[in-house]
Amino acid sequence: MDHDAFRRLERWCWRAPSAHNTQPWRLRYEPDAIRIGWDPAHTLPAGDPTGRDLRLSLGAFVETCLIVAADAGLRLDYLADHDEHHGWVGLLRPAPDRYPTPFRTTDVWERRTDRGRLAAGVDRDTLAAVDAVARPAGGSVRTVPQAGRLGALLRAADRRLYADPAVVAELRRWLRLDPTHPGYHADGLTDRCLALSRPAATGLRVALAGYPVLRPLGLPRLLAAAAGDPLAQGGTVLVLVAPDHLDEPGQVEFGRVLLRTWLTLHTAGLAAHPLSQLIDVPTTRTALGALLDVAPQRLLHVARVGRPTRPAPRSARRVAAGRA
């Protein structure tokens, strides 16, 4: 197995999406394979207690590796070998043929999360195309009917998360609200990617610094209000629905599905803005499931999708720091 050839591709593999841009993946180069796992220091135990977002991120990374390798002419496939205790999900290994995919490294590089204004939404043909990506894995992609009702759910979810000191401490750890932050160009959520003005970024930084004192005085409600209404920024709300009783390896596989849906949207000229808080909070997750007439545990990912009105900033990457 040509390890050196794959190492030269790592900078593009690292463009995979992850919750809070934590980039949790790690690689271990073995004689006849590359083992993929995660670094516990780059997980979100408070904000992602079930590990759903972690496993989706790892699956997205697997799919990104396969796409980038295929585009470079490397013949690799993926073998799931999930080991929750030791923190591994599977292996990239030599294959007779290149991984079949319609996507290229340029798609991986150019795809971006966009929290700005999105013109229009998802047309019927594009919705059918992303749904067709999920169907073979037993899932589906659904639009949210009466999406105007999501505004109240988003505010409720934000208030609940901001009221949790552990979640806020985790958020503070991954926020990069000042270009002088040592991780600003490496990982986390920057002010630019969050579409915050300099005064807004400064205000958020000050508010979070005073969180222990200000929390009993109503800071969670103020922070939720300050987050604004992303639905007012346009777009269609799409939900990735999984099969019932999806286990942990299955969530990794659906991370691969998620990456393919995002790239399908990207190649159609669209961008996505995750609204994960809707399914991170049990009460809003249940309410969203009722809107869709779907069991809440089947809701795997929620995003606002539309056509960008201007290029979004490219999020930072550590670029292959995670090797074991």
Side-chain angles (χ1 to χ4, degrees):
M1 185 168 182
D2 193 342
H3 288 169
D4 289 339
F6 188 84
R7 282 190 175 97
R8 290 192 289 270
L9 303 176
E10 285 184 357
R11 62 175 300 204
W12 290 286
C13 296
W14 250 248
R15 294 307 309 174
S18 58
H20 283 13
N21 192 25
T22 56
Q23 303 163 52
W25 33 79
R26 60 174 172 159
L27 301 176
R28 186 171 76 189
Y29 285 86
E30 300 178 352
D32 296 313
I34 302 170
R35 190 173 295 273
I36 297 177
W38 69 91
D39 181 350
H42 291 264
T43 62
L44 303 167
D48 181 32
T50 67
R52 180 199 70 232
D53 285 337
L54 169 65
R55 288 183 281 274
L56 290 176
S57 298
L58 289 163
F61 180 73
V62 168
E63 189 71 12
T64 302
C65 289
L66 291 171
I67 291 168
V68 170
D71 196 27
L74 299 186
R75 293 178 293 179
L76 297 177
D77 65 13
Y78 172 69
L79 174 67
D81 184 23
H82 199 93
D83 183 343
E84 194 76 14
H85 178 70
H86 293 99
W88 301 104
V89 295
L91 303 162
L92 296 175
R93 58 183 187 173
D97 302 299
R98 285 190 290 180
Y99 176 63
T101 175
F103 305 115
R104 307 288 300 273
T105 299
T106 52
D107 298 319
V108 167
W109 177 254
E110 292 171 359
R111 182 211 63 81
R112 304 179 195 182
T113 295
D114 195 324
R115 294 175 174 85
R117 179 164 294 281
L118 300 176
V122 180
D123 62 40
R124 184 176 301 177
D125 289 343
T126 304
L127 178 61
V130 291
D131 186 60
V133 171
R135 289 285 176 185
S140 64
V141 175
R142 304 272 296 275
T143 58
V144 178
Q146 307 172 47
R149 295 175 60 182
L150 289 182
L153 294 182
L154 280 167
R155 289 189 294 275
D158 284 338
R159 287 196 300 269
R160 174 64 185 83
L161 293 176
Y162 279 124
D164 187 330
V167 171
V168 172
E170 209 167 63
L171 178 63
R172 287 179 63 187
R173 181 187 172 202
W174 291 103
L175 282 175
R176 314 291 186 241
L177 299 178
D178 188 320
T180 63
H181 189 289
Y184 194 87
H185 299 290
D187 53 23
L189 300 167
T190 67
D191 53 343
R192 294 179 66 244
C193 287
L194 292 172
L196 295 175
S197 66
R198 174 53 47 202
T202 300
L204 179 58
R205 189 170 68 250
V206 170
L208 292 176
Y211 182 85
V213 175
L214 298 175
R215 175 174 172 263
L217 303 178
L219 181 61
R221 185 176 293 275
L222 291 176
L223 289 172
D229 180 9
L231 300 177
Q233 296 281 77
T236 302
V237 178
L238 297 185
V239 180
L240 176 62
V241 179
D244 206 3
H245 306 300
L246 193 68
D247 61 9
E248 292 170 348
Q251 288 183 354
V252 176
E253 285 301 308
F254 256 80
R256 298 179 61 187
V257 172
L258 177 61
L259 194 279
R260 293 197 293 270
T261 63
W262 275 28
L263 291 179
T264 300
L265 293 168
H266 167 74
T267 56
L270 305 175
H273 169 199
L275 301 173
S276 300
Q277 65 267 52
L278 285 169
I279 54 175
D280 289 339
V281 173
T283 54
T284 56
R285 184 186 186 108
T286 298
L288 179 59
L291 279 177
L292 294 170
D293 194 22
V294 170
Q297 66 270 20
R298 296 181 60 198
L299 306 180
L300 211 58
H301 183 76
V302 185
R304 179 176 64 93
V305 177
R307 193 169 302 278
T309 57
R310 64 181 63 184
R314 181 174 282 116
S315 54
R317 290 296 186 271
R318 286 182 287 116
V319 188
R323 293 180 186 154

